[in-house]
Amino acid sequence: MADLIHLLSDAVANQIAAGEVVQRPASVVKELLENTIDAGATDIKLVIRDAGKLLIQVIDNGCGMSQGDARMCFERHATSKIRKADDLLAIQTLGFRGEALASIASVAQVELKTRKHGDELGTMVLVEGTEFKGQSAVSCPAGTSVSVKNLFFNVPARRNFLKANTLELKYILDEFFRISLVNPGISFTAYNQDKILYQLPSGHLKERILNLYGAAYAQRLVPVKMDTPMVNISGFIGKPEFAKRTRGEQFFFTNRRFMKNAYFHHAVELAFKELIPSDAVPTYFLFLEVDPGTIDVNIHPTKTEINFQDNKSIYALLHAAVKQAIGKFNITPSLDFEREQGLDIPPPPTDRPVMPPTVTINPDYNPFNTGRPGQTAHPLGFPTGDTSSIRAWRDFYADLPATQDDHAQPATLPFADTLPQTENISASTDFPRKINLQVNQALLITHTKSGVVIIDQQRAHERILYERMMKDEDREQPNFQSLLIPSAISLNTDDAGLLRNWLGDFLEMGFEISDFGKNSFLIHTIPAGTNAEEAGHLIESVLEAMKNGTGDHQAAHRSHLSAILASKLAVKRGKKLHPAEIDSIIESLFACHVPDLSPDGRPTMMLIPYEEIHKKLKIN
Ligand code: ADP
Ligand code: MG
């Protein structure tokens, strides 16, 4: 029956799909490796030649395919993993769109050899750039071997677009690391140009990490473990003194899927704050297990984002789990012969919650050296070093003409006068002035080298204020205004108790509040830009939100307080903004540590690539 269908008849559709699924050799590696996991393999080999441009071969000992399936699997939407829409909800496997093999075969020469364990003979299928080239019975080991040769041989534009071999190989190894880290029970071998790059016997996670990164990591890792009804967190973090200035050892997995999450990264980073130089990034391998019903796994094949129903709580729990792990390690430092002398950390006091000690334990850290020569400290007090989020966004925004109009207009937003003047953004004067727009009294529109960016003014401003509040030690005076006549509020006993605890935090945000006795308080200063009449109300609503959100996670309360305050103080949708304010928000946002998310993890902006616009408008 399947034999009557013309194989890969819709060549064009496949090539279009291939554009989505197969961007570079690493995407092929990801898809092939995921298929081996789904096939239940316990031993997997990856063979690479010429950074995958010449050959990517993946050999597994999984379930194998029947003769019919061996041919069928190259059909678009051919998948053994779902049959009906309902199956989508229960999906446990990595793939299910049935697009990968069809897409790969449309842009390469593919040879598939496969045999089911019970079968005597296997099947070989050859497909070349959407064309079926032949099928025959072969004798081969049980399992499957897929060879992908001469990727993009029929799409020269895409082939030319590939990067140098070292970089493409790095992307491949990124995928290999992600998949092998989440499957330590499976043995993997990676070959490059016929040499073994990695040989990973099956074992536990820690062994897997040591096999990937070297035995020295045995002394560097601290286990993390926290089980809660909402999320189970496990894995390892690197000890603070081993934090590096280069990225690459940060891994989140959710329900065994690799995930990128700038917001959660921030939670981990925050837990390490003061323990590592500001331009260093902590190492972590963290696994989150959540009820699959509480997340939205973006089913786009190349995307690694996952949306969580309760982002904020998981942020807080993650932060707490990492802090706890650091705290435990500080109290009982492991016997560690590699450690340099003088690194012992005094145990934290027992009469208050474990906080990161303020001693600097990296002997190389020079507090006066904020980074590479010529680099200035981040105006919001965040690291300017290798924090890729900032860098990526800055690069992305950088080579555009100026937006700043010689500070002609005083901005009236809270904290606006301390908003950074990002030099590299406003440096160029050779171009006509870039105009940023506000539309619909809610959205800001700007453009970058790669596309048009639409920004939600409210969330963007929340992010800016939040980061402004979260910066610590080197904090300048908070930006406040004094009230001529202090404003009084009286609270119930519970709220008064809370406020008393948090007076210091409120002060750091520009609220000077004194305890007047009998659960009454006097407000002397408020953050700049806040309406004086609303000060009391603002404090009450912040207290209320704090009660609802923090739970036991004292450690995260500062961040929580900042997020709430930021959301109260931020300009709202519906407010018409002055051009200087528009520019100021856009520039400050791009200078943010995590510019693309609001403090509670919702997107602040979207980018529409020119490519997409051209496609829509049918401009070629
Ligand atoms: P998906 O993984 O989304 O189902 P693919 O195009 O990646 O789609 O694969 C199509 C089908 O081919 C799979 O559903 C599976 O049945 C089969 N298949 C692919 N790779 C393997 C493998 N290594 N071992 C066994 N079966 C495989
Ligand atoms: Mg697949």
Side-chain angles (χ1 to χ4, degrees):
M1 161 188 77
D3 297 351
L4 294 177
I5 301 171
H6 178 51
L7 188 60
L8 301 174
S9 57
D10 198 350
V12 179
N14 275 329
Q15 282 211 5
I16 292 168
E20 268 202 319
V21 181
V22 188
Q23 278 146 2
R24 49 179 12 104
S27 353
V28 175
V29 169
K30 170 177 186 279
E31 294 296 338
L32 296 184
L33 288 177
E34 287 186 348
N35 281 348
T36 67
I37 307 289
D38 288 346
T42 57
D43 184 56
I44 297 165
K45 294 187 176 59
L46 168 67
V47 181
I48 298 298
R49 288 228 180 92
D50 217 359
K53 296 172 186 173
L54 197 62
L55 174 75
I56 299 160
Q57 185 180 13
V58 172
I59 306 163
D60 70 59
N61 65 349
C63 63
M65 282 180 262
S66 71
Q67 201 186 338
D69 285 349
R71 186 156 166 185
M72 192 57 186
C73 70
F74 291 103
E75 290 283 0
R76 196 142 174 253
H77 305 308
T79 177
S80 56
K81 297 165 192 172
I82 51 169
R83 284 180 192 280
K84 48 187 194 301
D86 282 356
D87 293 349
L88 261 182
L89 298 175
I91 195 84
Q92 296 289 335
T93 56
L94 294 162
F96 51 85
R97 295 176 24 143
E99 272 184 330
L101 287 178
S103 300
I104 294 167
S106 74
V107 291
Q109 298 155 339
V110 179
E111 179 193 285
L112 167 78
K113 282 186 193 167
T114 185
R115 176 166 75 83
K116 285 173 87 88
H117 285 254
D119 293 355
E120 226 162 79
L121 270 186
T123 310
M124 177 168 86
V125 177
L126 295 172
V127 185
E128 203 176 298
T130 74
E131 258 176 72
F132 174 66
K133 290 283 180 180
Q135 174 164 3
S136 56
V138 291
S139 83
C140 60
T144 303
S145 155
V146 184
S147 301
V148 176
K149 295 175 196 164
N150 299 317
L151 184 64
F152 299 135
F153 78 101
N154 55 349
V155 203
R158 300 200 63 129
R159 199 171 167 88
N160 295 338
F161 174 77
L162 293 178
K163 300 273 185 343
N165 281 6
T166 41
L167 197 56
E168 293 295 344
L169 185 64
K170 187 196 165 297
Y171 291 138
I172 288 177
L173 292 176
D174 284 349
E175 297 294 348
F176 179 76
F177 271 50
R178 291 168 188 175
I179 290 186
S180 63
L181 277 169
V182 87
N183 294 289
I186 298 177
S187 58
F188 288 87
T189 318
Y191 301 83
N192 180 41
Q193 311 293 61
D194 297 321
K195 280 202 221 78
I196 292 186
L197 273 190
Y198 293 97
Q199 180 137 39
L200 314 172
S202 77
H204 295 291
L205 174 62
K206 187 160 181 179
E207 294 161 303
R208 179 58 42 101
I209 296 173
L210 303 191
N211 277 312
L212 284 169
Y213 289 97
Y217 273 65
Q219 316 299 331
R220 302 188 179 183
L221 300 174
V222 183
V224 177
K225 181 110 189 86
M226 180 183 271
D227 290 343
T228 70
M230 183 177 285
V231 57
N232 292 343
I233 301 168
S234 64
F236 292 92
I237 52 172
K239 290 179 191 171
E241 67 260 42
F242 296 107
K244 296 184 181 153
R245 285 173 176 79
T246 53
R247 290 176 68 95
E249 295 172 11
Q250 292 76 36
F251 294 89
F252 283 124
F253 300 95
T254 298
N255 295 357
R256 304 174 56 76
R257 231 176 241 275
F258 173 77
M259 158 184 93
K260 284 192 185 146
N261 195 316
Y263 183 57
F264 291 172
H265 173 77
H266 189 253
V268 176
E269 234 178 15
L270 202 61
F272 273 88
K273 223 170 183 190
E274 296 170 27
L275 291 173
I276 61 177
S278 64
D279 60 349
V281 200
T283 294
Y284 56 83
F285 307 90
L286 291 171
F287 292 72
L288 313 183
E289 290 290 332
V290 296
D291 175 352
T294 64
I295 52 171
D296 171 16
V297 176
N298 194 322
I299 62 168
H300 189 283
T302 60
K303 289 206 177 141
T304 47
E305 284 97 40
I306 295 178
N307 292 325
F308 291 74
Q309 242 169 43
D310 202 341
N311 234 340
K312 270 200 231 169
S313 307
I314 296 184
Y315 178 102
L317 289 167
L318 194 59
H319 178 83
V322 173
K323 270 212 158 167
Q324 192 187 60
I326 298 174
K328 271 192 193 147
F329 138 75
N330 282 345
I331 293 162
T332 50
S334 55
L335 266 188
D336 185 343
F337 300 108
E338 284 200 344
R339 220 133 50 96
E340 290 149 74
Q341 76 280 44
L343 292 184
D344 277 328
I345 298 151
T350 47
D351 56 342
R352 50 188 168 87
V354 177
M355 300 292 281
T358 49
V359 285
T360 304
I361 54 175
N362 183 334
D364 296 326
Y365 175 41
N366 174 357
F368 301 105
N369 179 3
T370 53
R372 285 177 290 277
Q375 204 175 33
T376 50
H378 189 280
L380 290 173
F382 279 95
T384 50
D386 276 312
T387 310
S388 76
S389 175
I390 300 178
R391 216 184 27 199
W393 280 109
R394 280 206 181 141
D395 289 353
F396 168 72
Y397 195 68
D399 53 346
L400 281 159
T403 60
Q404 204 72 9
D405 199 349
D406 296 326
H407 324 298
Q409 302 294 334
T412 57
L413 301 176
F415 306 121
D417 47 345
T418 59
L419 290 175
Q421 314 289 317
T422 313
E423 295 131 275
N424 51 359
I425 294 177
S426 35
S428 163
T429 48
D430 299 346
F431 297 91
R433 183 178 179 275
K434 188 167 85 165
I435 310 284
N436 299 315
L437 292 177
Q438 184 192 36
V439 295
N440 210 17
Q441 301 205 356
L443 301 172
L444 310 184
I445 300 188
T446 186
H447 58 98
T448 73
K449 56 185 165 180
S450 53
V452 175
V453 184
I454 303 179
I455 298 169
D456 176 7
Q457 65 184 44
Q458 186 173 329
R459 288 184 194 164
H461 197 213
E462 278 178 33
R463 164 54 60 186
I464 296 163
L465 295 179
Y466 172 78
E467 295 207 358
R468 168 75 171 73
M469 292 169 191
M470 286 302 289
K471 68 175 194 157
D472 32 21
E473 328 89 55
D474 53 337
R475 157 196 299 271
E476 319 113 33
Q477 278 297 303
N479 202 355
F480 62 87
Q481 56 192 62
S482 300
L483 298 181
L484 274 180
I485 307 162
S487 163
I489 45 168
S490 41
L491 302 169
N492 65 39
T493 312
D494 288 351
D495 288 358
L498 281 181
L499 183 55
R500 236 169 258 130
N501 278 340
W502 290 334
L503 284 180
D505 295 295
F506 273 95
L507 180 62
E508 286 187 80
M509 280 156 208
F511 286 102
E512 192 194 332
I513 305 170
S514 61
D515 191 346
F516 199 55
K518 293 203 172 129
N519 299 338
S520 292
F521 296 83
L522 285 181
I523 308 166
H524 303 277
T525 69
I526 55 177
T530 318
N531 191 339
E533 282 97 77
E534 284 173 10
H537 178 69
L538 182 63
I539 287 170
E540 279 167 24
S541 63
V542 169
L543 283 173
E544 198 51 41
M546 294 285 292
K547 274 189 287 186
N548 293 336
T550 44
D552 307 327
H553 317 301
Q554 263 286 334
H557 93 257
R558 169 70 187 287
S559 135
H560 192 63
L561 178 59
S562 305
I564 293 166
L565 210 50
S567 83
K568 302 281 175 212
L569 296 180
V571 287
K572 302 291 177 291
R573 293 180 202 103
K575 179 166 189 315
K576 200 163 181 317
L577 298 178
H578 188 278
E581 293 175 322
I582 297 171
D583 291 351
S584 166
I585 288 188
I586 292 175
E587 289 193 14
S588 307
L589 181 67
F590 280 101
C592 271
H593 191 55
V594 187
D596 42 343
L597 294 175
S598 69
D600 59 358
R602 288 167 301 167
T604 54
M605 63 170 102
M606 65 182 285
L607 167 75
I608 310 174
Y610 295 126
E611 226 174 82
E612 216 163 275
I613 298 174
H614 286 202
K615 223 192 277 171
K616 280 261 155 66
L617 297 179
K618 303 196 167 35
I619 306 171
N620 19 359

